[in-house]
Amino acid sequence: MPRIVTVGAAQLGPIARAESRAQVVSRLVALMRQAKEAGCDVVVYPELALTTFFPRWYMEDQCEIDSFFEREMPSAETAPLFALAKELGIGFHLGYAELVQGGTRTRRFNTAILVDKSGAIVGKYRKVHLPGHAEHEPHRAFQHLEKRYFEVGDLGFPVWRSFGGIVGMCICNDRRWPETYRVMGLQGVELVLLGYNTPLHNPPDPGHDALGLHHNTLVMQAGAYQNGTWVVGVAKAGLEEGVMHIGQSQIISPSGETVAMCSTLGDELAVARCDLDRTVPYKSTVFNFARHRRPEHYQLISTRVGAIPPAD
Amino acid sequence: MPRIVTVGAAQLGPIARAESRAQVVSRLVALMRQAKEAGCDVVVYPELALTTFFPRWYMEDQCEIDSFFEREMPSAETAPLFALAKELGIGFHLGYAELVQGGTRTRRFNTAILVDKSGAIVGKYRKVHLPGHAEHEPHRAFQHLEKRYFEVGDLGFPVWRSFGGIVGMCICNDRRWPETYRVMGLQGVELVLLGYNTPLHNPPDPGHDALGLHHNTLVMQAGAYQNGTWVVGVAKAGLEEGVMHIGQSQIISPSGETVAMCSTLGDELAVARCDLDRTVPYKSTVFNFARHRRPEHYQLISTRVGAIPPAD
């Protein structure tokens, strides 16, 4: 039986701060219907897909901050998405800000969920590699306060059997780290789903702004090839609240080739038929881990955090 | 003081089986003189640069096999290279098959050395990721018996302070593995030197032959960017003993951009002025490991060898 998963990369254009959850969900619904018409089994929405990318602002009022978070999933506002998924028989991947109450403290994560064709949540991932900074840096044109508003994810990089294959998730900056893909690769991942909000301008390092698209494609293609997996990266793109974000949402095959890509900065669907068996030639030859990996020489990766140059 | 290292990627065309060490060394000498004229501080030769790529043949006669190995370095045949390096004040990187006698057994490695401008060996690396197979597979158009003729390297991925920076080495198939670059990145590497012999045709997986150049560039650019390091990859290229090998020897900046590349399949020098301080913007922002890495979630990388899919 062929293992084809038809995937829709549902890029979103900007979401204004004033836009309501209901307004955003209506855009997600439109993309889901479009994906179903295109024959998709699963539609992939970006990181923090329900609101504007709020870590660009320094905020002290916790109520204001928490207005960007979801306390339950599905919620009243997102229920229509789950209902439509069930009605159409299509799965989805959704990124959102997750607020967890209970115990001795409130916790906040940058989260993504995987929902199957019955509308049931089958997987949850919480972002591990939080970029940016934790303190207000007024000299920046805009902030990137993910280290302030979120905790580091506590779920690792799990994978799930779903859609006839082995599916994993990561979020935005995670995609730049080879460890992300490798931990999933060691669990046999065949389809990695991820969303991103990537400003075109990087205030600490503007000399590389022109390379944003190159780096985006480079890290996802490398992660796909080096682990013999499909990778689906989906942007929230365009000029959002005065900050330009890259697009080029794309679907990458285990060969490291981009096989479908968005070319606007707005709401747009890119579709590819992903044959999960195309992972086999890579996983069984050049990236047959059991034959070729040498963990005895990798110990620094899991024991050392920062770089330590040799003594002078 | 600027930290410019001018690097020459000294690609070699094919070396015939009948070619003597002296003949090969004369080609290396010519490239070294050319590199010196181009202002190079160091010239980088490929993997197994002193002979034809002998793992393509199944051999049972150990004397025949050992004829491709070096018992000492420098040797009588390679001494002129060391002498010229000292005379010109230029360093070099050389890959060769290393035979180690002594103790209870003879050991054989696929090795590279780093030689400084005084002609002294300052670093040695032994290939960790041996590709191919250990047994004769007559159905292949040609063999790739590195797992038969070499032991897995026993030196890890060390780095050395040399040429005013922090230099590391790896060899051929090592470049496809993100662990290779990361272990060196965690030691602050600024310049990775590597050689390769990569057949255009991969007998176990011919469906990807057309992607050989894409994969070559992809993995080296990703390794450079993700660790904020220069990477210099140098081929033995062209039609050698009936087997075609890829070229595109290249010098890649910490931005993940290829800044110099060979475009023939013969002896050819590609040169770039590598400013080691261009590593800083990457190592101090997006790839500031101390700020962003999360080894608690990377444990599988150093504890699990092969992929283990989740239970059905």
Side-chain angles (χ1 to χ4, degrees):
Chain A
M1 198 173 85
R3 294 195 302 142
I4 306 290
V5 180
T6 300
V7 178
Q11 178 174 288
L12 290 178
I15 299 176
R17 183 165 186 167
E19 205 163 338
S20 69
R21 297 287 199 287
Q23 286 174 301
V24 174
V25 168
S26 73
R27 290 166 61 184
L28 302 181
V29 160
L31 284 160
M32 185 177 282
R33 290 192 182 281
Q34 192 181 335
K36 183 63 189 180
E37 285 167 20
C40 291
D41 296 294
V42 58
V43 56
V44 183
Y45 301 113
E47 174 193 34
L48 299 174
L50 297 172
T51 68
T52 197
F53 187 73
F54 63 90
R56 75 170 62 92
W57 295 301
Y58 176 71
M59 298 174 280
E60 295 189 333
D61 178 352
Q62 194 62 52
C63 289
E64 183 184 9
I65 295 166
D66 286 349
S67 71
F68 295 99
F69 282 74
E70 313 303 316
R71 284 169 177 72
E72 52 182 357
M73 188 59 62
S75 57
E77 294 103 333
T78 53
L81 202 57
F82 287 78
L84 183 63
K86 183 176 179 179
E87 176 194 328
L88 298 179
I90 186 171
F92 67 92
H93 162 283
L94 177 73
Y96 64 97
E98 178 191 17
L99 190 152
V100 185
Q101 279 166 319
T104 56
R105 63 192 177 96
T106 301
R107 309 176 71 192
R108 294 168 187 82
F109 299 99
N110 188 338
T111 295
I113 51 169
L114 182 65
V115 177
D116 71 10
K117 292 182 175 183
S118 76
I121 296 174
V122 293
K124 176 183 281 190
Y125 169 74
R126 289 167 171 165
K127 188 173 183 176
V128 165
H129 297 98
L130 297 172
H133 49 109
E135 301 305 323
H136 190 204
E137 299 186 0
H139 60 276
R140 290 174 180 249
F142 53 88
Q143 306 294 302
H144 202 118
L145 286 159
E146 288 194 57
K147 286 193 191 289
R148 183 175 194 86
Y149 298 139
F150 302 114
E151 287 183 44
V152 171
D154 60 346
L155 303 176
F157 295 100
V159 301
W160 298 270
R161 287 195 177 270
S162 197
F163 300 99
I166 302 174
V167 183
M169 296 186 278
C170 66
I171 299 177
C172 194
N173 182 46
D174 287 321
R175 78 193 188 285
R176 301 186 193 276
W177 298 83
E179 292 90 344
T180 298
Y181 305 94
R182 184 62 99 225
V183 172
M184 291 190 274
L186 285 164
Q187 301 169 81
V189 75
E190 298 171 317
L191 177 63
V192 174
L193 310 179
L194 71 96
Y196 55 90
N197 286 260
T198 300
L200 181 58
H201 172 55
N202 181 17
D205 194 15
H208 305 135
D209 288 357
L211 299 173
L213 294 177
H214 173 56
H215 293 156
N216 181 54
T217 299
L218 177 63
V219 295
M220 294 195 294
Q221 288 187 343
Y225 169 62
Q226 291 173 326
N227 294 279
T229 180
W230 290 88
V231 172
V232 181
V234 182
K236 181 139 64 60
L239 187 64
E240 186 180 89
E241 297 291 353
V243 178
M244 182 59 80
H245 296 73
I246 67 169
Q248 292 201 343
S249 301
Q250 57 197 281
I251 301 173
I252 299 164
S253 90
S255 65
E257 294 172 287
T258 295
V259 299
M261 190 167 80
C262 293
S263 64
T264 73
L265 297 176
D267 291 14
E268 182 183 354
L269 188 75
V271 177
R273 273 169 56 92
C274 303
D275 179 352
L276 300 186
D277 287 332
R278 286 194 55 207
T279 63
V280 176
Y282 289 94
K283 290 184 188 291
S284 63
T285 64
V286 60
F287 296 115
N288 180 331
F289 292 168
R291 275 179 65 82
H292 300 306
R293 292 184 79 252
R294 290 290 162 182
E296 68 270 28
H297 293 306
Y298 308 154
Q299 295 303 310
L300 272 192
I301 293 173
S302 57
T303 57
R304 182 177 285 186
V305 182
I308 304 177
D312 270 320
Chain B
M1 196 174 84
R3 295 195 300 142
I4 306 287
V5 180
T6 301
V7 178
Q11 179 174 288
L12 289 178
I15 299 177
R17 183 165 186 167
E19 205 164 338
S20 70
R21 298 285 199 287
Q23 286 174 301
V24 173
V25 168
S26 73
R27 290 166 61 182
L28 302 180
V29 160
L31 284 160
M32 185 178 280
R33 290 194 182 280
Q34 193 182 333
K36 183 62 188 180
E37 285 168 20
C40 291
D41 297 294
V42 60
V43 56
V44 183
Y45 301 114
E47 175 194 33
L48 299 175
L50 296 173
T51 68
T52 197
F53 187 72
F54 62 90
R56 76 169 63 90
W57 294 300
Y58 176 71
M59 297 175 279
E60 293 189 335
D61 177 352
Q62 194 61 52
C63 289
E64 182 184 10
I65 296 166
D66 285 349
S67 71
F68 295 99
F69 282 75
E70 314 302 315
R71 282 168 177 71
E72 53 184 354
M73 187 60 61
S75 57
E77 293 103 334
T78 53
L81 201 58
F82 288 77
L84 182 64
K86 183 176 181 180
E87 175 194 327
L88 299 178
I90 187 171
F92 68 92
H93 162 282
L94 178 72
Y96 63 97
E98 179 191 17
L99 189 151
V100 186
Q101 279 165 319
T104 55
R105 64 193 177 95
T106 301
R107 307 176 71 192
R108 294 169 185 83
F109 298 100
N110 188 338
T111 294
I113 51 170
L114 182 65
V115 177
D116 72 11
K117 292 182 176 184
S118 76
I121 296 173
V122 294
K124 177 182 281 190
Y125 169 73
R126 290 169 172 164
K127 187 173 184 177
V128 165
H129 296 98
L130 298 172
H133 49 109
E135 300 305 323
H136 190 205
E137 299 187 359
H139 60 277
R140 289 175 180 249
F142 52 89
Q143 305 294 301
H144 201 117
L145 286 160
E146 288 194 58
K147 286 193 192 288
R148 183 177 194 85
Y149 298 138
F150 301 114
E151 286 183 43
V152 171
D154 60 346
L155 303 174
F157 295 99
V159 301
W160 298 270
R161 286 196 179 271
S162 198
F163 300 98
I166 302 173
V167 183
M169 296 186 277
C170 66
I171 299 177
C172 194
N173 183 44
D174 286 321
R175 78 194 188 285
R176 302 186 192 276
W177 297 83
E179 292 90 344
T180 297
Y181 306 94
R182 185 62 99 226
V183 171
M184 291 190 273
L186 285 163
Q187 301 169 81
V189 76
E190 297 171 317
L191 178 61
V192 174
L193 310 179
L194 71 96
Y196 55 90
N197 284 263
T198 299
L200 181 57
H201 171 56
N202 181 16
D205 194 16
H208 306 134
D209 288 357
L211 298 172
L213 294 176
H214 173 56
H215 293 156
N216 180 54
T217 299
L218 176 63
V219 294
M220 294 195 294
Q221 289 187 343
Y225 169 62
Q226 291 173 326
N227 294 279
T229 180
W230 291 88
V231 171
V232 181
V234 183
K236 183 141 60 63
L239 186 65
E240 186 180 89
E241 298 291 353
V243 177
M244 181 58 79
H245 295 74
I246 67 168
Q248 293 202 341
S249 301
Q250 56 195 283
I251 301 174
I252 299 163
S253 92
S255 64
E257 294 171 286
T258 296
V259 300
M261 189 168 80
C262 294
S263 63
T264 73
L265 296 176
D267 290 13
E268 182 184 355
L269 188 74
V271 176
R273 273 168 57 91
C274 302
D275 180 352
L276 300 185
D277 287 332
R278 286 195 56 207
T279 64
V280 176
Y282 289 95
K283 290 184 188 291
S284 64
T285 63
V286 60
F287 296 115
N288 180 330
F289 292 167
R291 275 178 63 81
H292 300 306
R293 292 184 80 250
R294 291 288 162 183
E296 68 271 27
H297 294 305
Y298 308 155
Q299 296 303 310
L300 273 192
I301 293 173
S302 57
T303 57
R304 182 177 285 186
V305 182
I308 303 179
D312 270 319

